[in-house]
């Protein structure tokens, strides 16, 4: 099982949904970075359960404990170990799943691969494991601040309610003012109502998260097998429930012509830029200095609070009705996870670029 992300800046995670704790070790953090523990905790708070009536009712404080790699408020360059304790597990809610495979979950595939599985809340495949990603991402954001790189994500679609694809039309700060994390207040209200509706029906709904990285210098990424957009895609598709990734104009751009899609080069203030940004800030697998923007599609949560047909471990046909506390829509809590994976990828590739130039 591969539990480590990254090349120079790495995150190794551990823990299960209903185990004692979730945590990890970050290695490759540059030394001397001011470690704002309040910021790290705030990033976790954006992901934690029980924050509104459109998320799971599980109540967890998700308090992070930094165990190493920090001295007098700054990173030392040594590995940063951390842990977040689990305190509000209701493992009995999952006892009926011990010998059943939930539709569209990782239950069957984990059993097929390992011969056993932790049925309590999904075990290692639970979205609770993304806690470690948010801590690693918060640390990466602190380092990226030093070089002027910022990252922001928002919910751009829930079900059939979607925003215009052009992120420049919105005040992205507005996304922090509603439970669904959408920068359009009117659309946000409709999205929240839709989520409440499907929740009342015992159903779930999916959507899309848009992410923008600003301030990335040109030159991040490798021209062949380490393309920056490929690394971002791999990072995003490693998130629970992620089903699709596109950057720049993405699939919509396939309907256009080259004369419409090409980004013409211009000189601005003594620097080379582009008049448009259909490429999404990446050309030839390498950043070009423009905003990097991409979209991640998330499927509806697989856990339905209604009866579904399935089979047991012996292959006998049966049915399952989920119990416990679950998200009717993953989007609101996935926004900080998308930002975290983007931050770790960009810091990793920034450090890789510095290494190449030193040779």
């Amino acid at each position: 099982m591969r539990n480590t992300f990254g090349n120079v800046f790495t995150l190794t995670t551990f823990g299960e949904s209903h185990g004692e704790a979730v945590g990890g070790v970050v290695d490759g953090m540059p030394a001397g970075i001011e470690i704002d523990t309040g910021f790290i905790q705030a990033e976790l708070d954006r992901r934690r359960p029980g924050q509104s009536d459109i998320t799971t009712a599980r109540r967890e404080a998700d308090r992070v404990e930094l165990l190493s790699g920090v001295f007098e408020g700054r990173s030392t360059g040594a590995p940063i170990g951390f842990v977040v304790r689990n305190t509000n597990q209701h493992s009995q809610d999952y006892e009926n799943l011990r010998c059943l495979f939930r539709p569209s979950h990782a239950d069957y595939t984990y059993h097929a691969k390992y011969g056993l599985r932790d049925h309590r809340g999904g075990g290692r495949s639970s979205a609770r494991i993304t806690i470690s990603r948010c801590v690693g991402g918060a640390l990466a954001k602190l380092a990226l601040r030093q070089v002027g790189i910022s990252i922001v994500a928002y919910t751009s679609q829930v079900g059939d309610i979607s925003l215009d694809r052009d992120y420049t039309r919105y005040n992205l700060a507005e996304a922090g003012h509603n439970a669904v994390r959408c920068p359009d207040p009117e659309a946000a209200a409709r999205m929240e109502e839709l989520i409440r509706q499907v929740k009342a029906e015992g159903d779930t709904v999916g959507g899309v998260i848009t992410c923008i990285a600003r301030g990335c210098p040109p030159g991040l990424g490798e021209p062949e097998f380490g393309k920056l957009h490929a690394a971002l895609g791999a990072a995003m598709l490693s998130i629970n429930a992620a089903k699709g990734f596109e950057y720049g104009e993405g699939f919509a751009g396939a309907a256009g012509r080259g004369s419409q899609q090409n980004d013409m080069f211009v000189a601005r203030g003594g620097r080379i830029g582009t008049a448009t940004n259909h490429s999404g800030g990446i050309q030839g697998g390498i950043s070009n200095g423009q905003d990097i923007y991409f979209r991640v599609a998330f499927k509806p949560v697989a856990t339905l609070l209604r009866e579904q047909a399935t089979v047991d471990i012996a292959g006998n046909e049966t049915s399952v009705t989920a119990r416990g506390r679950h998200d009717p829509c993953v989007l609101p809590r996935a926004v900080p996870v998308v930002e975290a994976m983007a931050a770790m990828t960009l810091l990793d590739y920034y450090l890789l670029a510095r290494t190449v130039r030193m040779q």
Side-chain angles (χ1 to χ4, degrees), residues 96-113:
N96 66 318
L97 305 178
R98 180 180 289 273
C99 297
L100 301 179
F101 298 131
R102 294 170 296 173
S104 288
H105 275 274
D107 297 348
Y108 171 71
T109 51
Y110 263 59
H111 181 79
K113 183 176 180 65

Side-chain angles (χ1 to χ4, degrees), residues 136-175:
L139 290 166
K141 282 184 177 182
L142 291 174
L144 290 174
R145 281 181 186 176
Q146 307 299 305
V147 292
I149 299 174
S150 64
I151 297 163
V152 61
Y154 63 91
T155 298
S156 54
Q157 180 175 340
V158 172
D160 60 357
I161 303 170
S162 62
L163 303 186
D164 187 282
R165 293 173 61 92
D166 184 0
Y167 66 90
T168 64
R169 294 184 57 182
Y170 302 98
N171 176 8
L172 302 188
E174 289 292 327

Side-chain angles (χ1 to χ4, degrees), residues 6-308:
N7 300 283
V8 178
F9 179 91
T10 65
L11 168 68
T12 302
T13 73
F14 66 83
E16 294 82 31
S17 177
H18 287 229
E20 290 297 318
V22 173
V25 176
V26 167
D27 205 356
M29 181 71 173
I33 302 298
E34 183 176 349
I35 303 301
D36 183 346
T37 54
F39 172 76
I40 297 171
Q41 187 59 55
E43 291 293 276
L44 277 182
D45 290 345
R46 297 171 66 212
R47 193 226 69 94
R48 69 176 174 81
Q51 56 187 276
S52 76
D53 66 347
I54 61 171
T55 64
T56 173
R58 180 171 176 170
R59 298 288 178 179
E60 293 279 5
D62 286 352
R63 307 303 298 180
V64 63
E65 305 171 40
L66 299 183
L67 306 177
S68 63
V70 179
F71 179 68
E72 295 184 343
R74 293 186 178 275
S75 59
T76 65
I80 299 176
F82 63 89
V83 66
V84 175
R85 309 285 177 181
N86 294 328
T87 63
N88 191 228
Q89 309 98 309
H90 287 183
S91 298
Q92 68 276 8
D93 289 342
Y94 298 89
E95 191 56 35
N96 66 318
L97 305 178
R98 180 180 289 273
C99 297
L100 301 179
F101 298 131
R102 294 170 296 173
S104 288
H105 275 274
D107 297 348
Y108 171 71
T109 51
Y110 263 59
H111 181 79
K113 183 176 180 65
Y114 299 107
L116 75 166
R117 79 179 202 279
D118 183 348
H119 64 281
R120 304 166 303 165
R124 184 69 175 157
S125 67
S126 169
R128 183 154 180 78
I129 309 307
T130 59
I131 283 173
S132 299
R133 300 173 183 229
C134 285
V135 176
L139 290 166
K141 282 184 177 182
L142 291 174
L144 290 174
R145 281 181 186 176
Q146 307 299 305
V147 292
I149 299 174
S150 64
I151 297 163
V152 61
Y154 63 91
T155 298
S156 54
Q157 180 175 340
V158 172
D160 60 357
I161 303 170
S162 62
L163 303 186
D164 187 282
R165 293 173 61 92
D166 184 0
Y167 66 90
T168 64
R169 294 184 57 182
Y170 302 98
N171 176 8
L172 302 188
E174 289 292 327
H177 297 156
N178 56 74
V180 78
R181 296 201 165 92
C182 171
D184 183 320
E186 187 275 333
R190 292 192 290 126
M191 290 174 179
E192 289 180 35
E193 182 56 34
L194 176 58
I195 295 172
R196 292 189 185 96
Q197 177 187 333
V198 299
K199 179 181 180 181
E201 296 169 355
D203 212 337
T204 61
V205 66
V208 175
I209 290 173
T210 297
C211 185
I212 303 98
R214 295 186 171 103
C216 293
L220 305 188
E222 302 299 319
E224 183 60 12
F225 296 114
K227 295 179 188 293
L228 183 58
H229 60 268
L232 286 167
M236 298 307 140
L237 293 173
S238 75
I239 302 172
N240 307 58
K243 300 295 282 186
F245 172 83
E246 63 175 6
Y247 75 103
E249 291 295 313
F251 286 98
R257 299 187 178 187
S259 57
Q260 299 169 313
Q261 293 292 309
N262 281 355
D263 295 315
M264 304 303 172
F265 288 106
V266 295
R268 293 179 179 143
R271 299 180 62 181
I272 294 176
T274 58
T276 55
N277 190 20
H278 301 297
S279 301
I282 303 171
Q283 294 171 327
I286 301 171
S287 63
N288 66 3
Q290 306 305 302
D291 288 354
I292 294 172
Y293 66 94
F294 57 86
R295 291 156 46 93
V296 188
F298 288 85
K299 71 175 183 175
V301 176
T303 300
L304 308 184
L305 298 181
R306 56 169 65 176
E307 186 175 29
Q308 298 183 86

